[in-house]
Amino acid sequence: VVTLLRKQRIPVLLHRAFSSSARRLRNKVPEAQKLFQEDNGLPVHIKGGTSDVLLYRATMTLTIAGSCYSLYWLLVASMPQRKP
Amino acid sequence: MAHQAHAYHMVDPSPWPLTGAVAALLLTSGTAIWMHFNSLVLMTLGLVLLLLTMYQWWRDIIREGTFQGHHTPPVQKGLRYGMILFITSEVFFFLGFFWAFYHSSLAPTPELGGCWPPTGITTLDPFEVPLLNTAVLLASGVTVTWAHHSIMEGQRKQAIQSLTLTILLGFYFTFLQAMEYFEAPFTIADGVYGSTFFVATGFHGLHVIIGSTFLAVCLLRQVQFHFTSEHHFGFEAAAWYWHFVDVVWLFLYISIYWWGS
C-alpha cells in the first residue's frame, strides 16, 4: 500500500490505517447478514440465538400472566362492592 | 430450499402482534383498575409488555431489511406509503385538538369573561422561551437535512455529527418545554385555556420525545454501518416524522402562543 501511495505521490502520512484512531468500530453487518441468512428454518424473531429465545419466553410469560391477571380484575370489578 | 419468484416480503410467523394486542388490553384495563381500585400493577405490566413488543418487533424489521435483504424496491415503496399514511393519521389527531382550541377561543363564553385569553389567565410571552423553542426546532430541521445529505454522499463522520446535533436540539427543546411547564402561571385545571394549552402542547411534547428516540435509533444504526448511500429508509422515515413534529409546533406557536395570547 505504501509503495502504491508513493507512486501516486500522495503523502503516506495522510493515509493511516482505518481504525488507528481511538474509536475501533468494525462493520459487523456482513456477519449479521450471514447469521440471519443461514438456512436453518428459524423464524426471524429467534434466529439471533439464545438471548432471542430467552427474551421471547419472558415476553410470552408476561403476555399469558397478564391476560390471566386482567381476567381476575374483570371478575373482581364485576362483583358487587361490599359497603363498609 | 425454495426461493420466491417475486420481489415481495412474505414475513415469518411472529408473536409480536399478539403480545402487542395483550399489552393494549393490559394498558387500558390497567388504567381503569388504577382509577377504581388504586392498583398500578396491571397498567405497569401493560407498559412493560408494550416496550418489549416494540423493541423486538422493530428489531426484527431491521433484521429482515438490513440483514436478510427483504426490503426490495417494491417493499420499500410499501413502507413509504405506510409511514406517510401513519403521519397523516397523526395530523388528524392534532387537528382535533386545534379544533377544540379554536372552538373555545374564537367565541369565548361569558364564563370566561367573553374574551380570549380568558379573564384571570396570565399567558406566556410568545417572544421569550416559546420563540427560542421555535428556533431550536427549525434548526433541528436543518441539521436533520444535513444528516440526510451526508448519508447520501457517504460522509459517515458528518452524518454522525449532524444526526447527533439534531437529537441534542430535540433534547434541548424538551428540557426548555419542561421548564416552561414547571414555571407556567396557569395549570391544566385552569378552565378551557389550561385544558387546550396543556393537552395540545403536551401531546406535541410526547411526539418530540418519540421523534428524538426514533432519531437516536437511527444514530445507533448509522454508527453500526446499517445505512448505505442508496438505501436508508429508516432514517428517511425518522426525518419525515421529525419534520412533522416541527410543523405541528409552528402551528401551535402561531395559534396558541402568539394569536392566543
Side-chain angles (χ1 to χ4, degrees), chain A residues 53-67:
Chain A
V53 175
L54 290 174
L55 198 57
Y56 163 74
R57 285 184 184 162
T59 309
M60 201 44 86
T61 306
L62 284 178
T63 304
I64 295 167
S67 302

Side-chain angles (χ1 to χ4, degrees), chain A residues 36-37 39 44-45 52 59, chain B residues 1 56 59 63 67-68:
Chain A
F36 288 103
Q37 289 178 41
D39 192 10
V44 71
H45 68 279
D52 277 9
T59 309
Chain B
M1 182 172 107
Q56 290 173 99
R59 175 206 67 189
R63 288 177 175 180
F67 303 147
Q68 294 183 329

Side-chain angles (χ1 to χ4, degrees), chain B residues 2-77:
Chain B
H3 286 109
Q4 61 187 53
H6 59 81
Y8 296 96
H9 184 190
M10 303 300 286
V11 294
D12 291 337
S14 170
W16 312 132
L18 176 67
T19 62
V22 171
L25 169 69
L26 299 193
L27 276 170
T28 47
S29 57
T31 308
I33 295 302
W34 179 31
M35 290 179 187
H36 290 274
F37 297 94
N38 201 30
S39 171
L40 268 166
V41 180
L42 199 58
M43 194 182 84
T44 313
L45 204 54
L47 211 59
V48 169
L49 204 49
L50 179 69
L51 290 168
L52 282 169
T53 301
M54 291 194 293
Y55 170 73
Q56 290 173 99
W57 195 333
W58 282 322
R59 175 206 67 189
D60 287 353
I61 293 172
I62 292 172
R63 288 177 175 180
E64 289 161 357
T66 307
F67 303 147
Q68 294 183 329
H70 281 295
H71 291 179
T72 60
V75 172
Q76 207 193 112
K77 193 162 168 223

